[in-house]
Amino acid sequence: MIVTAPIVLFVYNRPNHTLKTINSLKNNDLAKSSDLYIFSDGPKNSSQEENVNNVRKIIKDVNGFRNIYIKEEKRNKGLAASIIDGVTKIINGHEKIIVLEDDLITSPFFLKYMNEALDYFKNTENIWSISGYTPNIKLPQDYTSDIYLTPRACSWGWATWKNRWENIDWNISDFKDFKHSKLEKKLFNIPGNDMVQMLNDQVNGHINSWAIRWCYNQFKNQSFTVYPTEALVKNIGTKGESTHGSISNRFETHLSHKEKIKFEHVKVDYRVLDAFSKIYNLRFINYISILFKKVGLFKYAKKYYKLIMR
């Protein structure tokens, strides 16, 4: 009998996306035996009030879960603070957690996969988190496992445990040492050459991402994230931004309806890791921050970062 982890959903100002996210989640086999916590961020300004209120009408009408708890913020906290504070509050009382945002469509077997993975890997110290998403990568013909490992965490439908989350250094207090180490920077960039640049922009206050800090702490702890070979999460929030262009197509994926996923203690397959990293390796990423800041268009860099790392 699975003891289900609480689901935490973060919503803001996208009623259509929110409704689709909730409906797909409600169709999961374990929804009725799961507790759902919804954190609704407040509007940044008056222009956002209508959409925020529409989202709140939707979440107040949610059913199909064992228990539903809603927290509405009067003021805007922003995504990073919302995630850090909300996850911390819930995980402290439950030991494990499943986290979603308001633009993610899930397979009917997403919750089953997440809960089984949380149970299977809970005592495996070098497993940092579980991802429900995977980019479309070409696996080697002789790769037969249903899962693979990478040193990069994912913010598009994920799960973790209290004893991983509670030890995070959100301030990145050793950044000065890191930025002077060519080896550490090279290693941190293995699962995508965007990692070091985003961490640098985070520390320097150009972006505010909880996820790049989460990834950095995973790197410092020499740990890995478990990915499914077929995606159980599809992101529907990457379209409609002209600045994304063809970049967003890199992250398009086909939603799997595979019910049974076999878990095993796999090792990192560097052929798989190479295919994975190519999704995030962009030739211009090391120059994107400098370029956008020079021409006064750093807001567009922020949109790009938002696409790949919340």
Side-chain angles (χ1 to χ4, degrees), residues 62-285:
V62 172
N63 57 55
F65 299 87
R66 181 170 57 192
N67 295 296
I68 300 165
Y69 307 92
I70 297 172
K71 171 65 174 175
E72 296 180 354
E73 296 291 343
K74 293 181 179 180
R75 298 179 181 178
N76 184 265
K77 295 178 68 173
L79 183 60
S82 295
I83 295 279
I84 294 170
D85 294 347
V87 169
T88 300
K89 179 178 180 181
I90 305 306
I91 206 169
N92 280 342
H94 294 85
E95 303 295 328
K96 57 184 179 179
I97 197 169
I98 299 168
V99 185
L100 292 162
E101 294 174 33
D102 59 5
D103 56 2
L104 303 173
I105 302 298
T106 54
S107 158
F109 307 109
F110 167 78
L111 291 179
K112 182 176 185 291
Y113 160 79
M114 284 297 200
N115 279 285
E116 289 181 354
L118 282 168
D119 285 350
Y120 189 88
F121 291 105
K122 65 181 178 181
N123 296 320
T124 308
E125 294 182 358
N126 71 335
I127 298 300
W128 194 249
S129 64
I130 312 298
S131 174
Y133 170 82
T134 180
N136 283 336
I137 61 175
K138 187 175 182 179
L139 296 169
Q141 289 185 347
D142 61 349
Y143 193 84
T144 58
S145 179
D146 290 337
I147 58 174
Y148 65 94
L149 305 182
T150 86
R152 180 181 186 132
C154 180
S155 63
W156 293 358
W158 56 281
T160 194
W161 304 266
K162 179 183 176 183
N163 61 0
R164 276 71 152 181
W165 182 263
E166 65 186 356
N167 293 318
I168 301 299
D169 173 17
W170 295 108
N171 295 319
I172 315 297
S173 56
D174 64 346
F175 182 72
K176 287 184 179 180
D177 294 331
F178 170 79
K179 74 177 182 179
H180 290 116
S181 173
K182 291 183 179 180
L183 176 60
E184 286 207 338
K185 288 190 289 186
K186 185 176 181 179
L187 292 173
F188 189 45
N189 263 353
I190 285 177
N193 65 1
D194 54 345
M195 301 284 276
V196 170
Q197 186 61 63
M198 280 192 289
L199 184 66
N200 183 69
D201 284 326
Q202 169 65 39
V203 172
N204 288 307
H206 302 307
I207 61 172
N208 186 18
S209 167
W210 71 272
I212 190 61
R213 290 178 277 172
W214 175 241
C215 283
Y216 179 72
N217 278 271
Q218 172 171 314
F219 165 73
K220 297 298 289 188
N221 281 274
Q222 300 180 339
S223 298
F224 301 93
T225 292
V226 175
Y227 283 77
T229 55
E230 298 180 28
L232 293 123
V233 174
K234 181 179 177 65
N235 190 306
I236 59 171
T238 62
K239 297 299 183 182
E241 293 282 0
S242 60
T243 55
H244 292 160
S246 62
I247 294 173
S248 65
N249 294 332
R250 289 173 172 260
F251 308 104
E252 282 288 304
T253 193
H254 305 294
L255 196 64
S256 171
H257 289 269
K258 186 176 183 179
E259 180 176 0
K260 181 61 178 175
I261 294 178
K262 180 183 177 182
F263 295 104
E264 55 186 320
H265 291 284
V266 297
K267 295 181 179 179
V268 175
D269 187 309
Y270 288 95
R271 300 168 302 168
V272 177
L273 180 56
D274 181 62
F276 176 91
S277 67
K278 286 178 180 176
I279 299 293
Y280 298 91
N281 281 345
L282 301 177
R283 284 180 295 174
F284 63 87
I285 189 64

Side-chain angles (χ1 to χ4, degrees), residues 7-64:
I7 309 162
V8 180
L9 173 63
F10 293 91
V11 302
Y12 178 42
N13 67 344
R14 295 184 287 186
N16 292 333
H17 288 70
T18 298
L19 184 60
K20 291 177 181 178
T21 296
I22 291 172
N23 284 340
S24 69
L25 188 62
K26 188 166 66 173
N27 286 332
N28 268 255
D29 289 350
L30 294 179
K32 291 182 179 180
S33 58
S34 300
D35 291 339
L36 176 63
Y37 294 81
I38 306 176
F39 287 84
S40 172
D41 204 3
K44 291 180 181 178
N45 49 54
S46 58
S47 68
Q48 299 299 325
E49 288 180 0
E50 182 178 0
N51 281 336
V52 169
N53 288 335
N54 287 337
V55 166
R56 290 180 174 178
K57 290 177 183 178
I58 291 170
I59 62 177
K60 287 175 182 176
D61 197 37
V62 172
N63 57 55

